[in-house]
């Protein structure tokens, strides 16, 4: 079996803590052949981690351009400040490489459209990594809903209180403290939740919401509450704060039962009551495996398609612009 | 101490189950001197209940007009189909009687303004009975918030799943099955919740929401989800269904703690954690006692003021009209 030679670009938290463990699990499918970072010491540290965990040392490049020119990789894995995603994806495609890029796709919807356009013109794979699309929980809940276990779903409600303090490792990231992308943590982290809800219910028609800035250290608005409607008629209600602490709450209410989700289980209440343990899984591994199958087995790029990632982001751009006014998500996508 | 002679108009569920027990508790302050109903048997049944519980029989009138002309009451208590509130309040004031009228004030905001106008021109008391303004829970929570126990409040979230089936006594009421008022059960029952939230946080600036009709037996739209902002900047999130069952959820999230409320207690989580038992109380008794003090002691009519009731209703008219668009609540009140 051919291994994909992967060049990792950006050697920060996502590369070290999210992607590397998945690639260690998939060491028969991927070889991390190269790394690069703006900070040489960071690339060297990361190369050392790879040596320790995988037993080989990747080539270290001083620049992304040098990595691409070296032809020592088949595909690049971008784990970068958000504002670099679009230019770096473009460079990779220009040079003929496949690319997997950590979400969100771009700083804003308009910029992200360049990637959609590009994806229609290239035979290279542009895969936006959104691990929540590969998550047991949301795929399982979609199946439960599709099998009519709770009747017709009417409402989905999700409250998340992330409560990051100043010492949080993400809060301390320089590019997150001075974000060049819309919505700061709201879109950066929030695209996961909207991706998850779209796994269950499909596309969102419109959103109305409002944002607040509660903390003075999270770089931008950090709290949001929105009501929205999926194209299938389900009403959504999503409230999140990266500044405030609280108790997470996830509930789907249908005509014949409800679904709750907590850290460890999915619980169905109603006629067909049941409890489903959430298995341990590495959703990043699922995602890289899908990317691998897209690259090597001609599997269509559905879950990593840039349009899906852009729809997740469009929800936030709409909610942030909304100030209580209804915005059709598709109006941003056009 | 002078007793108020009260004529009860409408002898249905509200008169029998909500007002009568309160008036029994306040028998030293009120005498139910007269009753009337469109259905004579209903008035006779109700008079018999009063006989049993209070030991005297009120005069039974065949019509509201006859009751008013008889001069045998000081004030009338209107527990009627909503569409009769405005015309019956007007008749009472024309004839020189004080009036207490069960919420909601009117079928819609425009009609309700006639009562606001009337209240500025009469020295008679027009008291709209909203028992949630007299409820320990919301007054206590307001105090907790005002005393800065949870820091600055940012979000309030309330989900209510009333889940009425076809056999529910309210669902079986003819005028509720064919409502002449806006919003069916949503406004009829919902004004309580918005009154409660306004006790805590004051007036609402704008609302954006959407409604659904889930059942085929509740007369109108029966489910609503809305996001809104109080004038003090707190963001509200209110989701309710009279058709769907579920688990109620009430949460206030502040910068330094949260407040939860369930059937039996108010719970503060955070630095100043505490549990407060909710005492047994009859909020209708509180309300009639306030009405009594307004009538006899020159107490200002604050909690029963028609403007307060109209603001509660205006929230629903805005949310129902909204279809996701932002509506300023004051724009309806003008």
């Amino acid at each position: 079996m051919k291994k994909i030679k992967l060049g990792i670009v950006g050697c920060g938290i996502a590369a070290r803590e999210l992607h590397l463990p998945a690639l260690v699990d998939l060491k028969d499918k991927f070889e991390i052949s190269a790394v690069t970072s703006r900070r040489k010491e960071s690339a060297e540290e990361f190369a050392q981690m790879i040596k320790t965990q995988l037993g080989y040392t990747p080539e270290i490049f001083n620049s992304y351009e040098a990595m691409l020119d070296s032809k020592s990789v088949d595909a690049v894995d971008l784990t970068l400040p958000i504002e670099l995603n679009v230019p770096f994806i473009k460079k990779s495609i220009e040079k003929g490489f496949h690319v997997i890029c950590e979400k969100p796709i771009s700083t804003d919807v308009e910029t992200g459209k360049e990637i959609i356009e590009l994806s229609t013109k290239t035979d290279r794979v542009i895969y936006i990594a959104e691990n929540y699309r590969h998550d047991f929980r949301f795929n399982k809940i979609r199946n439960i809903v599709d099998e009519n276990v709770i009747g017709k779903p009417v409402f989905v409600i999700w409250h998340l209180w992330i409560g990051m303090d100043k010492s949080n490792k993400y809060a301390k990231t320089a590019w997150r403290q001075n974000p060049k992308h819309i919505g700061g943590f709201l879109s950066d982290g929030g695209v996961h939740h909207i991706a998850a809800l779209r796994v269950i219910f499909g596309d969102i028609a419109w959103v109305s919401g409002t944002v607040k800035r509660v903390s003075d250290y999270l770089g931008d608005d950090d709290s949001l509450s929105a009501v929205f409607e999926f194209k299938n008629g389900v009403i959504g209600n999503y409230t999140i704060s990266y500044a405030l602490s609280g108790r997470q709450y996830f509930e789907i209410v249908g005509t014949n039962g409800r679904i709750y989700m907590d850290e460890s289980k999915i619980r169905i209440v109603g006629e067909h009551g049941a409890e489903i343990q959430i298995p341990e899984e590495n959703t990043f591994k699922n995602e890289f495996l899908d990317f691998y199958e897209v690259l090597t087995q001609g599997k269509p790029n559905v879950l990593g398609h840039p349009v899906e990632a852009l729809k997740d982001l469009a929800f936030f751009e709409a909610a942030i612009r909304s100030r209580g006014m209804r915005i059709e998500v598709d109006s941003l996508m056009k």
Side-chain angles (χ1 to χ4, degrees), chain A:
Chain A
M1 191 161 57
K2 182 181 177 271
K3 281 195 201 182
I4 302 293
K5 289 199 283 183
L6 200 62
I8 298 184
V9 186
C11 301
I13 303 170
R16 295 176 188 210
E17 300 182 18
L18 309 179
H19 289 205
L20 179 56
L23 293 166
V24 168
D25 274 359
L26 294 168
K27 62 187 169 203
D28 59 333
K29 296 190 169 55
F30 291 97
E31 176 193 338
I32 305 174
S33 56
V35 299
T36 183
S37 166
R38 283 175 299 184
R39 290 196 311 113
K40 197 176 177 211
E41 322 81 80
S42 180
E44 282 167 356
E45 262 179 43
F46 185 49
Q48 186 54 50
M49 286 178 71
I50 292 166
K51 173 90 194 298
T52 306
Q53 295 185 40
L54 282 164
Y56 60 79
T57 306
E59 199 169 348
I60 299 173
F61 287 95
N62 287 327
S63 75
Y64 182 46
E65 290 73 14
M67 179 194 277
L68 295 178
D69 287 338
S70 76
K71 310 280 179 190
S72 64
V73 299
D74 302 315
V76 297
D77 175 18
L78 306 180
T79 62
L80 290 163
I82 297 169
E83 68 268 22
L84 298 181
N85 287 352
V86 167
F88 276 52
I89 291 171
K90 287 163 84 174
K91 278 184 207 175
S92 166
I93 299 301
E94 273 165 29
K95 295 281 186 175
F97 295 101
H98 302 295
V99 57
I100 181 167
C101 174
E102 188 60 24
K103 48 45 63 187
I105 184 172
S106 54
T107 54
D108 58 280
V109 174
E110 201 53 39
T111 308
K113 288 178 191 172
E114 296 178 35
I115 301 305
I116 311 300
E117 172 78 8
L118 189 58
S119 73
T120 64
K121 293 179 175 168
T122 179
D123 65 346
R124 302 291 90 181
V125 171
I126 304 173
Y127 191 102
I128 309 299
E130 173 47 81
N131 62 308
Y132 275 44
R133 270 191 263 284
H134 305 267
D135 190 306
F136 170 86
R137 297 174 294 173
F138 310 110
N139 287 284
K140 182 68 184 176
I141 291 173
R142 178 187 55 207
N143 291 344
I144 293 167
V145 169
D146 286 353
E147 286 162 10
N148 211 29
V149 172
I150 60 161
K152 189 175 153 58
V154 181
F155 289 104
V156 57
I157 289 169
W158 204 355
H159 311 313
L160 294 114
W161 312 101
I162 314 289
M164 287 180 174
D165 59 26
K166 284 183 191 179
S167 69
N168 181 283
K169 64 187 172 191
Y170 293 105
K172 288 196 292 188
T173 318
W175 64 266
R176 288 188 171 93
Q177 286 174 345
N178 295 290
K180 296 196 171 63
H181 62 280
I182 191 168
F185 276 94
L186 292 175
S187 63
D188 181 9
V191 288
H192 288 310
H193 313 128
I194 298 306
L197 292 176
R198 292 182 52 248
V199 165
I200 304 171
F201 296 116
D203 285 349
I204 292 167
W206 60 263
V207 55
S208 173
T210 187
V211 292
K212 287 267 162 195
R213 184 166 189 167
V214 175
S215 84
D216 58 3
Y217 55 86
L218 290 174
D220 203 341
D221 292 323
D222 50 37
S223 305
L224 178 154
S225 188
V227 59
F228 50 101
E229 185 166 5
F230 291 87
K231 289 182 178 174
N232 71 1
V234 169
I235 303 300
N237 201 301
Y238 170 66
T239 301
I240 184 161
S241 175
Y242 285 86
L244 302 169
S245 296
R247 179 166 69 180
Q248 300 210 10
Y249 196 79
F250 181 99
E251 180 179 31
I252 298 171
V253 180
T255 53
N256 200 31
R258 287 107 66 196
I259 300 169
Y260 299 98
M261 182 183 76
D262 64 21
E263 295 294 304
S264 65
K265 58 188 181 304
I266 296 163
R267 200 157 54 82
I268 304 169
V269 175
E271 192 185 338
H272 307 289
E275 265 191 26
I276 298 144
Q277 287 300 312
I278 297 168
E280 293 271 341
E281 63 171 352
N282 182 338
T283 54
F284 296 98
K285 178 183 168 184
N286 302 346
E287 159 188 294
F288 272 101
L289 184 58
D290 186 53
F291 179 58
Y292 180 84
E293 291 170 356
V294 169
L295 289 188
T296 62
Q297 296 165 21
K299 183 178 178 182
N301 179 15
V302 174
L303 300 181
H305 198 288
V307 165
E308 297 304 319
L310 197 66
K311 286 176 177 175
D312 299 337
L313 181 63
F315 174 92
F316 285 92
E317 194 162 316
I320 289 161
R321 282 194 200 170
S322 161
R323 305 272 162 195
M325 289 174 290
R326 172 178 171 143
I327 297 189
E328 312 295 318
V329 177
D330 281 352
S331 73
L332 300 181
M333 296 288 293
K334 274 176 196 144

